[in-house]
Amino acid sequence: EAEVAQSPRYKITEKSQAVAFWCDPISGHATLYWYRQILGQGPELLVQFQDESVVDDSQLPKDRFSAERLKGVDSTLKIQPAELGDSAMYLCASSPRDGNSYNEQFFGPGTRLTVL
Amino acid sequence: SQKIEQNSEALNIQEGKTATLTCNYTNYSPAYLQWYRQDPGRGPVFLLLIRENEKEKRKERLKVTFDTTLKQSLFHITASQPADSATYLCALENNNDMRFGAGTRLTVKP
């Protein structure tokens, strides 16, 4: 069964350092999402891509976060510089959603980030 | 402001009973609502989707209702099993605006 791949699974970094997360969605899924989930809370959408275009990045802290999906396939989320408050699980999800049809999201295993 | 509330952080029930989880929302008009299961340290897994014009959806031991007048969804697990123990998240979306609740942690005791 096809799965969303994420790497690394765990990342420990010091504040002010740069970190990057990678996501490979399920083949053929046009929509890709990056979420941040703080322990005890629900996932919070950071950015949504439709193919290579950003559909929604209103919750992305653009002074330090960036995301790209250059060829409309895999995606990278970067934080520079990392802050203590960035410690969280970063989840990637993909969906076969196209246009106005609504579909389930398939989540990857996440990257657990700890900022010291 | 928009708010999604899921009933109590934790719900403990006995095996075999029906678990009922609640998702209430305010200042929001979702086109549809989804329920996900999340195990510790893992990503959420999709369970059910219900549209605003649907009242009820079933899948095996799962049932979801959606009342847009009350602004509430109920998620039922019948004949619960210890393997159903997990956190359950509701998610609402309208026009690319996707929001999750904080989740309810369900524990089913043998």
Side-chain angles (χ1 to χ4, degrees), chain A residues 13-75:
Chain A
T13 190
E14 295 185 345
K15 63 180 182 179
S16 79
Q17 296 298 304
V19 292
F21 313 130
W22 176 80
C23 172
D24 190 13
I26 293 173
S27 177
H29 282 193
T31 308
L32 184 147
Y33 309 82
W34 281 102
Y35 290 90
R36 175 172 59 189
Q37 186 175 26
I38 295 169
L39 198 61
Q41 299 183 19
E44 173 195 10
L45 181 66
L46 293 175
V47 61
Q48 177 184 343
F49 290 92
Q50 182 74 26
D51 298 311
E52 67 275 9
S53 301
V54 173
V55 173
D56 181 6
D57 64 356
S58 57
Q59 301 303 311
L60 189 71
K62 298 182 188 62
D63 57 335
R64 299 184 300 108
F65 286 64
S66 64
E68 60 183 14
R69 193 185 183 197
L70 292 176
K71 296 184 178 179
V73 181
D74 59 340
S75 175

Side-chain angles (χ1 to χ4, degrees), chain B residues 7 11-21 58 61-64 74-81 84 106-108:
Chain B
N7 65 315
L11 181 65
N12 299 314
I13 64 168
Q14 207 66 35
E15 181 177 8
K17 300 293 186 183
T18 296
T20 299
L21 285 66
R58 292 176 183 261
R61 295 185 295 113
L62 309 180
K63 184 179 84 171
V64 173
L74 299 179
F75 177 77
H76 306 273
I77 306 175
T78 58
S80 60
Q81 305 166 359
D84 294 327
L106 173 68
T107 301
V108 181

Side-chain angles (χ1 to χ4, degrees), chain A residues 37 42 97 102 104-105 107, chain B residues 32 36 38 93 96 98 101:
Chain A
Q37 186 175 26
R97 174 175 172 170
Y102 298 106
E104 65 190 89
Q105 295 185 26
F107 282 83
Chain B
Y32 69 101
Y36 287 80
Q38 187 172 27
E93 181 169 353
N96 293 322
M98 182 79 167

Side-chain angles (χ1 to χ4, degrees), chain A residues 11-15 19 21 36-39 64-65 79 82-90 111-116:
Chain A
K11 179 69 178 179
I12 299 174
T13 190
E14 295 185 345
K15 63 180 182 179
V19 292
F21 313 130
R36 175 172 59 189
Q37 186 175 26
I38 295 169
L39 198 61
R64 299 184 300 108
F65 286 64
I79 307 175
E83 296 181 352
L84 295 177
D86 295 333
S87 294
M89 175 78 87
Y90 290 83
T111 296
R112 169 71 65 189
L113 173 66
T114 301
V115 182
L116 304 176

